[in-house]
C-alpha cells in the first residue's frame, strides 16, 4: 500500500490538532489549579515533511519565499535543504574538496542526517510508555518491520525530554514549546524516508 493511503487512513486521526492542543492545555491548567499530583496523561503526534518528502508525496508547490539574503546553493532554503547550505548557516564542519566540488563543505552532522530525510514524526507524552505505544502504532501502520510491505524506512530514533532550560522557556528552534507538553514530558522524534 502506498504511503499516502497509509498516511490518510492510519495517521491523520493521530495528528495532534490545534483544538486538541487547546484541550490539553486547559487540562494541564486545571490539573495545576487543583494541585493534583503527577502529570496529565497526554500523547501528541506531529509530522513534518522536508521538500524531498513532499515531492515524494507528489506535492510540487513552491514553498520557498524569496529571501533577502539568498543562500549560496541558489535554491530556496526549504527546497535546497539545510545540508546544501550548512556552511552558509554556520553549522560546524570543514571544507572537504571533492572531484566535483573543490569548495565542498562537510557539516559535522550525524551520518543519518547527511542522507535525504523525507520527514519527522514527533511524538510527545507524559510517559515513555505512552510515547512508545504511539511509536509502536506508527510502526505497525506503516509496516516498518516488513521490508517488502513497508512504506517508510526509519532512519533514526531519538529519545529526549523537554527541560525548563531549553525547549520550555528559551523557545530555541521551537515556536510553540507548549505544544510539546509540560516540563518533564517525554518526546521522541523519528526521521523517516518514504519508500
Amino acid at each position: 500500500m502506498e504511503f499516502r493511503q497509509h498516511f490518510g487512513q492510519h495517521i491523520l486521526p493521530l495528528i495532534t490538532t490545534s483544538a486538541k492542543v487547546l484541550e490539553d492545555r486547559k487540562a494541564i491548567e486545571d490539573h495545576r489549579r487543583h494541585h493534583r499530583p503527577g502529570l496529565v496523561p497526554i500523547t501528541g503526534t506531529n509530522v513534518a515533511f522536508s521538500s524531498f518528502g513532499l515531492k515524494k508525496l507528489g506535492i510540487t508547490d513552491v514553498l520557498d519565499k524569496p529571501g533577502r539574503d539568498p543562500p549560496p546553493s541558489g535554491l530556496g532554503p526549504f527546497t535546497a535543504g539545510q545540508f546544501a547550505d550548512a556552511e552558509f548557516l554556520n553549522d560546524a564542519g570543514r571544507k572537504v574538496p571533492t572531484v566535483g566540488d573543490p569548495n565542498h563543505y562537510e557539516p559535522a552532522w550525524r551520518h543519518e542526517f547527511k542522507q535525504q530525510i523525507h520527514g519527522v514524526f514527533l511524538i510527545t507524552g507524559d510517559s515513555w510508555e505512552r510515547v512508545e505505544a504511539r511509536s509502536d502504532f506508527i510502526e505497525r501502520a506503516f509496516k516498518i518491520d516488513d521490508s517488502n510491505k513497508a512504506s517508510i524506512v526509519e532512519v533514526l530514533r531519538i529519545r529526549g525530554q523537554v527541560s525548563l532550560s531549553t525547549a520550555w522557556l528559551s523557545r530555541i528552534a521551537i515556536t510553540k514549546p507548549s505544544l510539546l507538553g509540560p516540563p518533564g514530558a517525554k518526546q521522541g522524534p523519528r526521521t523517516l524516508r518514504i519508500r
Side-chain angles (χ1 to χ4, degrees):
M1 192 178 272
E2 182 179 287
F3 178 83
R4 289 178 86 161
Q5 291 171 318
H6 275 294
F7 190 77
Q9 182 181 6
H10 298 292
I11 299 304
L12 282 179
L14 291 178
I15 300 300
T16 305
T17 64
S18 300
K20 177 65 173 141
V21 169
L22 292 174
E23 180 185 313
D24 290 346
R25 288 174 77 177
K26 186 177 181 308
I28 291 167
E29 284 306 313
D30 186 56
H31 190 81
R32 286 181 183 155
R33 190 177 316 113
H34 293 93
H35 306 287
R36 294 185 182 121
L39 297 172
V40 176
I42 292 174
T43 307
T45 306
N46 285 304
V47 64
F49 293 102
S50 68
S51 65
F52 303 116
L54 291 175
K55 284 178 191 163
K56 193 86 171 181
L57 290 171
I59 299 167
T60 57
D61 301 9
V62 177
L63 299 173
D64 288 303
K65 293 185 178 179
R68 190 181 62 186
D69 300 314
S73 68
L75 299 169
F78 184 70
T79 302
Q82 192 172 345
F83 188 83
D85 293 313
E87 183 178 16
F88 176 73
L89 296 169
N90 292 320
D91 285 357
R94 62 189 174 91
K95 294 263 187 196
V96 180
T98 64
V99 175
D101 182 5
N103 293 316
H104 176 74
Y105 186 78
E106 189 67 30
W109 293 1
R110 293 178 68 132
H111 73 276
E112 294 92 348
F113 293 124
K114 292 181 181 182
Q115 58 185 299
Q116 252 189 37
I117 302 294
H118 294 161
V120 175
F121 282 105
L122 178 61
I123 304 165
T124 61
D126 61 298
S127 68
W128 285 120
E129 291 75 23
R130 277 187 215 287
V131 171
E132 290 300 325
R134 182 63 55 92
S135 182
D136 291 346
F137 179 86
I138 290 169
E139 283 185 25
R140 287 190 307 275
F142 289 105
K143 299 177 176 35
I144 289 176
D145 292 334
D146 186 337
S147 61
N148 294 320
K149 294 181 181 178
S151 53
I152 64 173
V153 175
E154 182 176 278
V155 175
L156 177 67
R157 184 186 303 205
I158 300 172
R159 287 178 66 144
Q161 193 160 332
V162 175
S163 75
L164 282 170
S165 61
T166 56
W168 188 254
L169 293 179
S170 68
R171 297 175 183 244
I172 296 174
I174 299 171
T175 56
K176 292 275 189 189
S178 57
L179 297 180
L180 297 178
K186 312 301 185 199
Q187 60 178 344
R190 302 175 64 176
T191 58
L192 62 102
R193 266 197 325 272
I194 301 166
R195 285 188 182 251

